[in-house]
Amino acid sequence: MRKPAIQTVRMLLLLFPFIAWGQQTGNWGTGKLRESVVSVSSDIPYALVAYDFTERYLTQLQSMPAAERKSRMERDDVRILQGGLHHLNLIDEQTAMNFSERENRYTVSFANESLLLIELSFPASCRLLTGMNLKELENAFVSELSTLRYVEPSVPLAGGELKKLASGYYMKTGDAYYMEEINNHLYYEEVKGNKRLVFSKDHPAESVFNLLLSGEMDCDLSVDLTVRRYGLKKDRFTVPLRSWIKYAEVRGCRLYAGIEALDTDCVKAYVFAVNTVLKYNHVMNVEVPYALLGEKKGTIAGDITLFVPTHNISSLFGELNGENTTPEKKTGIK
């Protein structure tokens, strides 16, 4: 494992700015347009967030004097590429929409047949997209996570999805996050004909991956969580580990883990909760004592940095692994 890369992440996390988040609802085309966007959200994950922002933002611009409007757009780095606000009254249930994503920006356009009404380009910034300030973000995170309780485990994994590693041991292959060592692989062992997640001192790294990534674990562990807030403030509370995993899922984040070190008394690891739509990462470093591996109860220590912008993470790993450009992706809805 390339430990220097993980250690570089630890050093730079405190330097990254924070970003806020939230939700909006719309009523253009008597709400029918938004219903169309909802129907394709599984294929275009960012479409609903981009649509809601576009409707809210353009509606706000309409009510501003020209000078204020210009200043606001420059400050937010929002651009009207084609068309204009004077066409917004033509948006109806039959209006076609197109969405595209490129270089950390979203673009949304509306057209009535051959008439392009407006095309708006804006940063894929969590704070801009949601209109929430930092205090609201932090309060929501602490309140929601500290009160969420998750009891029921996920549906057990089917055996056919597993790759055999050795006699009686298997892996469910996940995805890597920028480097192979940070991934969401899960590890299973066969006991009396049944496959279960590995959780033992004999396999500490694999056990920690399972513990941090899966709600299927048959154990009742908690995380004593220190939340780093803007202005060097901190919150601290204890939450069931399953609740943290469920919270990440509910908020549209995908979890990845990486082992930083196998120390003499504990496993040190990182967890990345990645939101690809709102372009942020929650990054938590944890310490799991070897004594807890194989036990059904206990508490691990966690320290989390919130809402690290994805472009900061990608820049960091780009320097380590080489830059990777992303082509523009376009999708239309009629």
Side-chain angles (χ1 to χ4, degrees):
M1 174 170 290
R2 290 177 285 182
K3 293 182 182 178
I6 299 293
Q7 291 168 351
T8 301
V9 174
R10 178 192 289 275
M11 180 174 62
L12 293 182
L13 285 178
L14 296 180
L15 303 180
F16 292 157
F18 297 97
I19 290 178
W21 64 322
Q23 293 182 340
Q24 302 292 331
T25 58
N27 53 25
W28 279 351
T30 65
K32 295 295 184 180
L33 287 184
R34 192 174 192 276
E35 291 178 10
S36 298
V37 177
V38 171
S39 69
V40 300
S41 292
S42 59
D43 297 321
I44 317 171
Y46 66 89
L48 186 58
V49 167
Y51 174 89
D52 283 343
F53 166 76
T54 300
E55 184 180 50
R56 171 173 58 84
Y57 196 86
L58 291 180
T59 301
Q60 291 173 350
L61 291 183
Q62 284 182 299
S63 65
M64 296 178 183
E68 182 182 353
R69 181 187 307 154
K70 182 175 183 294
S71 176
R72 173 72 178 274
M73 293 180 67
E74 289 177 350
R75 183 172 66 250
D76 295 337
D77 192 19
V78 174
R79 311 163 194 167
I80 296 178
L81 303 180
Q82 298 184 70
L85 298 177
H86 58 286
H87 284 322
L88 295 183
N89 64 320
L90 299 178
I91 294 177
D92 59 28
E93 297 178 8
Q94 304 304 315
T95 297
M97 296 171 284
N98 277 281
F99 298 85
S100 63
E101 175 185 11
R102 185 176 185 179
E103 296 180 352
N104 208 42
R105 295 184 69 88
Y106 292 138
T107 300
V108 181
S109 65
F110 298 84
N112 287 349
E113 297 182 347
S114 61
L115 176 61
L116 180 60
L117 305 179
I118 194 165
E119 184 177 27
L120 192 73
S121 172
F122 45 92
S125 158
C126 188
R127 180 172 53 193
L128 178 66
L129 290 172
T130 63
M132 293 185 69
N133 62 40
L134 180 57
K135 185 176 181 180
E136 292 169 328
L137 159 66
E138 293 176 333
N139 289 343
F141 178 90
V142 172
S143 175
E144 292 176 9
L145 180 56
S146 61
T147 57
L148 178 65
R149 292 296 178 266
Y150 178 59
V151 178
E152 295 298 325
S154 304
V155 177
L157 180 70
E161 301 178 28
L162 301 177
K163 175 183 178 181
K164 189 172 183 179
L165 298 177
S167 178
Y169 286 91
Y170 306 83
M171 179 178 73
K172 179 185 177 183
T173 304
D175 297 315
Y177 187 54
Y178 286 105
M179 52 195 303
E180 287 300 321
E181 294 88 346
I182 301 174
N183 59 67
N184 47 29
H185 304 334
L186 295 176
Y187 300 89
Y188 286 76
E189 62 180 346
E190 188 167 4
V191 179
K192 297 181 179 179
N194 297 316
K195 296 180 179 65
R196 67 183 186 188
L197 286 161
V198 173
F199 192 55
S200 71
K201 295 180 182 180
D202 296 332
H203 301 278
E206 292 83 356
S207 298
V208 168
F209 268 95
N210 290 343
L211 180 66
L212 299 177
L213 298 175
S214 176
E216 300 175 16
M217 293 295 293
D218 183 22
C219 58
D220 186 22
L221 271 71
S222 298
V223 54
D224 182 10
L225 189 61
T226 297
V227 181
R228 296 183 179 272
R229 302 181 67 159
Y230 184 76
L232 302 181
K233 296 180 180 179
K234 296 181 181 180
D235 279 309
R236 184 175 176 180
F237 56 91
T238 300
V239 62
L241 190 56
R242 279 181 178 171
S243 294
W244 153 251
I245 294 173
K246 185 62 176 180
Y247 173 86
E249 175 187 337
V250 168
R251 284 304 178 190
C253 297
R254 192 172 185 191
L255 295 175
Y256 301 83
I259 303 298
E260 181 179 12
L262 300 176
D263 279 1
T264 56
D265 58 347
C266 69
V267 179
K268 293 182 177 179
Y270 267 99
V271 181
F272 290 77
V274 182
N275 190 304
T276 58
V277 171
L278 295 178
K279 306 299 183 182
Y280 68 77
N281 294 240
H282 298 317
V283 186
M284 178 168 62
N285 63 287
V286 300
E287 295 185 359
V288 183
Y290 292 118
L292 287 184
L293 297 181
E295 298 293 330
K296 297 294 184 180
K297 294 183 179 181
T299 302
I300 66 176
D303 190 302
I304 191 166
T305 302
L306 302 177
F307 298 92
V308 180
T310 297
H311 64 82
N312 285 347
I313 293 287
S314 60
S315 296
L316 170 62
F317 285 115
E319 293 174 3
L320 296 171
N321 295 334
E323 294 297 331
N324 181 25
T325 57
T326 302
E328 183 178 20
K329 301 178 181 178
K330 294 184 177 180
T331 310
I333 303 177
K334 295 183 179 181

